[in-house]
């Protein structure tokens, strides 16, 4: 969102304010100097559904970053595991530096803070998720201690500090594989919502260029890493317009094919604002399913959404630059309209599906707040899901095979209640990404039969010495030997031709072979 007031304010009171298919297991570089294997379309497909760890590492108290300052608990591995279990494959982690940057000329980032950033990144990265980190609150005029201000007078000092901070961050993560993506900044603009001004926009373009040059020159995997850059305030119209200048990428690895990019364009989507973010009860419905015209905005419906995403496709995707909708969502207005969550799910489904149609990935903005005006999908203290309907809408839109509502535990009347239906034919494929003592395996299950499968168990055999550490989109038992993966609540129904993607991380003792002997509900799969 576009300011601390619009971001934290959705969650806190005023007093608290001061690819082509699923190729998730494709071999990736685990060491410096190895070029990533995914092109732009493969990257977007592989990123799947994204989620924001909002109001955490970008929170601050009087200009000093503090992840609990805006009311959320300390981030834990268990929270990230809960999010991944819902089917999210990408986590965006907004980060502020602010008062944790020392004085010039070195502008040294506080070591403890950099360590904590790395620790939270590792929660997601070691689970095989895509992770995005940025410089988030340092460019908001409303934040105490902000300094990345595009219309400030001393741009020489600002740019020097910006370069030094990114150099330190990039150096810290230079050996991480391409599941880690850097984002130059967040919603940078001069604070007014009219047309972009100069020289402010020129400075934003300059920041992006400094970012790309700095990261590339640190070497290692950074020489080929995907980098995310925004235009003016991550606004679609002002990014496809004349003001935005794509940074050059002359320092990237020479091993990257000349016709491939390694830069992603960042935008956010909260239109229409009166539905998505305005904190009153006037507009509570959205989309073609709205039943009360008085509660529906006069603009910003499906046709507008389609047009906005198409603009990004025409301007960037057609030229090889992927697009990432790094934030979207709509606040909880159920206190004004008990049906509001239905329209919030419709909105999320439409944003994700339309972005996917035009070659873009997405990340839902979750600020950790549940209840009135909140955007939370989870209770971060109890690690429980609070908005399963919205999650189901996202997963259905990005994957195409998950139902939009939780599947019933009782099979349809045409199916005997004692056994699942449609188990006559299946196809399973798997891909493995291995490193010294660990691996991740992604498995795609397809129902090639003529009837639906309602609840499934996929059995397979692990190679000797392998032991599952964690899994996603299914439960796995036991950890080694002959393993059975059981569907999650949202992907248990497979219509004829439909697929489900699951995966796991495992340790190994030298044998990183793929699993074998797949059977689905007792039937051997090809």
């Amino acid at each position: 969102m576009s300011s601390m007031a619009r971001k934290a304010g959705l969650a806190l009171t005023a007093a608290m304010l001061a690819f082509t298919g699923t190729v998730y297991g494709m071999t990736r570089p685990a060491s410096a100097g190895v070029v990533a294997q995914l092109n732009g379309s493969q990257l977007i497909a592989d990123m799947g559904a994204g989620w924001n760890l909002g109001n955490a590492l970008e929170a601050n108290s009087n200009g000093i970053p503090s992840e609990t300052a805006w009311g959320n608990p300390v981030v834990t591995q268990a929270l990230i595991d809960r999010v991944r279990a819902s089917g999210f494959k990408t986590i965006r982690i907004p980060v502020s530096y602010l008062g944790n940057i020392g004085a010039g000329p070195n502008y040294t980032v506080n070591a403890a803070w950099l360590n904590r950033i790395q620790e939270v990144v590792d929660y997601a990265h070691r689970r095989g998720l895509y992770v995005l980190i940025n410089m988030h609150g340092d460019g908001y005029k409303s934040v105490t201690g902000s300094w990345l201000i595009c219309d400030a007078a001393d741009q020489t000092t600002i740019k020097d500090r910006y370069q030094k901070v990114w150099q330190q961050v990039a150096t810290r993560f230079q050996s991480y594989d391409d599941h880690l993506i850097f984002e130059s900044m967040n919603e940078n603009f001069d604070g007014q919502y009219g047309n972009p001004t100069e020289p402010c926009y020129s400075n934003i373009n300059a920041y992006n260029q400094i970012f790309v040059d700095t990261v590339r020159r640190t070497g290692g995997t950074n020489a080929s890493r995907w980098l995310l850059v925004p235009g003016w305030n991550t606004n679609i119209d002002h990014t496809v317009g004349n003001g935005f200048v794509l940074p050059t990428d002359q320092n990237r690895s020479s091993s990257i094919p000349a016709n491939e990019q390694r830069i992603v364009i960042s935008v956010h989507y909260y239109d229409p604002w009166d539905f998505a973010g305005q904190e009153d009860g006037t507009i509570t419905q959205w989309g073609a399913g709205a039943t009360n015209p008085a509660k529906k905005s006069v603009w910003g419906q499906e046709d507008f959404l389609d047009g906005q995403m198409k603009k990004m496709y025409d301007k960037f995707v057609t030229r090889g630059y992927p697009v990432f909708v790094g934030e979207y969502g709509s606040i909880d207005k159920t206190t004004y309209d008990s049906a509001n969550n239905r329209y919030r799910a419709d909105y999320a489904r439409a944003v994700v599906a339309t972005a996917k149609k035009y070659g873009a990935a997405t990340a839902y903005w979750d600020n950790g707040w549940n209840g009135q005006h909140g955007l939370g999908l989870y209770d971060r203290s109890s690690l429980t899901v609070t908005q399963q309907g919205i999650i189901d809408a996202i997963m259905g839109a990005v994957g195409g095979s998950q139902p939009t509502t939780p599947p019933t535990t009782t099979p349809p009347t045409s199916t005997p209640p004692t056994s699942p239906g449609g188990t006559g034919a299946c196809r399973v494929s798997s891909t493995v990404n291995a490193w010294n003592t660990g691996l991740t395996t992604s498995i795609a299950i397809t129902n090639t039969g003529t009837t639906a499968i309602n609840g499934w168990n996929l059995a397979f055999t692990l190679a000797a010495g392998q032991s599952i550490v964690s899994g996603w989109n299914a439960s796995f038992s036991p950890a080694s030997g002959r393993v059975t993966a059981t569907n999650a609540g949202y992907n248990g129904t497979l219509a004829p031709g439909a697929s489900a993607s699951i995966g796991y991380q495992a340790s190994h003792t030298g044998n990183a072979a793929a699993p074998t002997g797949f059977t689905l509900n007792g039937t051997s799969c090809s």
Side-chain angles (χ1 to χ4, degrees):
M1 307 200 107
S2 53
S3 68
M4 185 179 71
R6 288 191 173 185
K7 191 164 287 185
L10 298 179
L12 308 168
T13 63
M16 298 175 73
L17 286 174
F19 324 128
T20 305
T22 302
V23 288
Y24 199 36
M26 182 176 289
T27 302
R28 288 184 165 81
S31 61
V34 182
V35 177
Q37 298 298 307
L38 303 185
N39 63 31
S41 62
Q42 291 171 330
L43 173 74
I44 293 302
D46 209 22
M47 290 175 73
W51 177 84
N52 273 275
L53 181 63
N55 287 12
L57 296 191
E58 88 277 25
N60 76 91
S61 177
N62 295 319
I64 304 299
S66 170
E67 64 188 284
T68 61
W70 291 351
N72 280 316
V74 170
V75 180
T76 63
Q77 181 71 68
L79 171 63
I80 302 305
D81 289 347
R82 171 65 272 184
V83 172
R84 189 185 63 178
S86 294
F88 290 101
K89 294 173 70 175
T90 295
I91 293 184
R92 181 174 180 258
I93 304 175
V95 177
S96 289
Y97 298 89
L98 300 167
N100 279 337
I101 303 172
N106 295 326
Y107 299 109
T108 303
V109 178
N110 179 283
W113 184 238
L114 201 52
N115 289 342
R116 179 55 180 161
I117 295 168
Q118 183 174 12
E119 184 175 33
V120 176
V121 167
D122 286 346
Y123 291 158
H125 187 266
R126 67 188 173 206
R127 295 298 198 234
L129 299 172
Y130 280 97
V131 187
L132 291 90
I133 58 173
N134 66 8
M135 184 177 288
H136 202 85
D138 297 63
Y140 287 150
K141 291 183 177 180
S142 56
V143 172
T144 301
S146 61
W147 54 273
L148 190 64
I149 307 300
C150 65
D151 59 349
D154 189 0
Q155 287 296 313
T156 299
T157 298
I158 288 172
K159 292 170 183 175
D160 185 34
R161 179 185 296 180
Y162 181 72
Q163 189 276 328
K164 295 289 177 52
V165 172
W166 265 117
Q167 183 173 2
Q168 294 169 73
V169 175
T171 300
R172 173 64 67 102
F173 291 103
Q174 68 184 160
S175 65
Y176 280 57
D177 72 12
D178 65 323
H179 275 85
L180 180 63
I181 297 173
F182 297 146
E183 182 180 22
S184 62
M185 53 193 154
N186 180 76
E187 296 179 351
N188 202 293
F189 72 126
D190 63 4
Q192 57 83 30
Y193 290 92
N195 290 324
T197 58
E198 288 291 352
C200 190
Y201 210 155
S202 294
N203 288 327
I204 291 172
N205 291 328
Y207 302 157
N208 280 332
Q209 188 64 65
I210 292 168
F211 162 74
V212 171
D213 291 342
T214 299
V215 172
R216 292 290 187 235
R217 287 168 179 162
T218 59
T221 308
N222 290 338
S224 59
R225 188 178 308 286
W226 287 95
L227 303 179
L228 189 61
V229 298
W232 179 274
N233 196 23
T234 61
N235 176 282
I236 290 176
D237 290 319
H238 298 325
T239 302
V240 300
N242 294 327
F244 178 65
V245 177
L246 275 165
T248 61
D249 199 5
Q250 298 177 355
N251 297 295
R252 70 183 194 174
S253 170
S254 60
S255 299
I256 299 174
N259 62 342
E260 289 188 17
Q261 311 301 334
R262 282 293 185 274
I263 291 177
V264 186
I265 311 304
S266 172
V267 292
H268 296 171
Y269 192 84
Y270 292 107
D271 292 329
W273 181 253
D274 51 7
F275 171 77
Q278 191 166 304
E279 295 182 357
D280 61 29
T282 304
I283 303 300
T284 60
Q285 299 185 11
W286 183 89
T291 59
N292 186 343
K295 293 182 176 294
K296 177 180 175 179
S297 182
V298 298
W299 73 287
Q301 305 304 306
E302 289 95 339
D303 56 344
F304 179 84
L305 168 62
D306 190 274
Q308 292 297 92
M309 296 301 169
K310 186 177 186 300
K311 289 178 184 178
M312 295 299 295
Y313 174 85
D314 291 343
K315 183 65 178 283
F316 298 110
V317 178
T318 58
R319 299 161 61 192
Y321 293 94
V323 170
F324 184 63
V325 184
E327 295 181 19
Y328 71 93
S330 57
I331 64 174
D332 188 333
K333 300 183 183 181
T334 53
T335 55
Y336 313 111
D337 182 347
S338 61
N340 174 244
N341 279 338
R342 168 194 166 183
Y343 302 106
R344 296 177 68 204
D346 288 347
Y347 181 82
R349 183 185 300 109
V351 172
V352 174
T354 307
K356 180 180 178 181
K357 171 184 175 182
Y358 287 111
T362 55
Y364 176 89
W365 179 257
D366 186 324
N367 60 7
W369 181 260
N370 291 282
Q372 187 174 23
H373 304 154
L375 282 152
L377 301 181
Y378 304 90
D379 182 319
R380 296 186 188 179
S381 296
S382 65
L383 303 179
T384 55
V385 174
T386 59
Q387 295 292 343
Q388 187 65 54
I390 297 177
I391 294 174
D392 287 344
I394 293 169
M395 297 306 158
V398 76
S401 62
Q402 294 93 339
T404 56
T405 57
T408 176
T409 56
T410 303
T413 55
S414 61
T415 304
T418 55
S419 71
T423 58
C426 52
R427 183 175 66 251
V428 174
S429 62
S430 65
T431 49
V432 178
N433 171 33
W435 57 94
N436 292 341
T437 60
L439 58 85
T440 58
T441 299
S442 180
I443 300 172
I445 309 163
T446 302
N447 176 11
T448 58
T450 59
T451 57
I453 297 173
N454 298 287
W456 50 262
N457 293 287
L458 181 73
F460 54 87
T461 301
L462 292 181
Q466 293 184 15
S467 180
I468 293 177
V469 176
S470 61
W472 54 92
N473 294 350
S475 58
F476 296 82
S477 181
S480 59
R482 188 67 178 170
V483 178
T484 297
T486 302
N487 64 269
Y490 52 80
N491 62 0
T493 298
L494 292 177
S499 299
S501 296
I502 65 174
Y504 59 84
Q505 181 180 17
S507 60
H508 69 84
T509 57
N511 186 351
T516 58
F518 291 103
T519 61
L520 187 67
N521 293 348
T523 298
S524 296
C525 297
S526 58

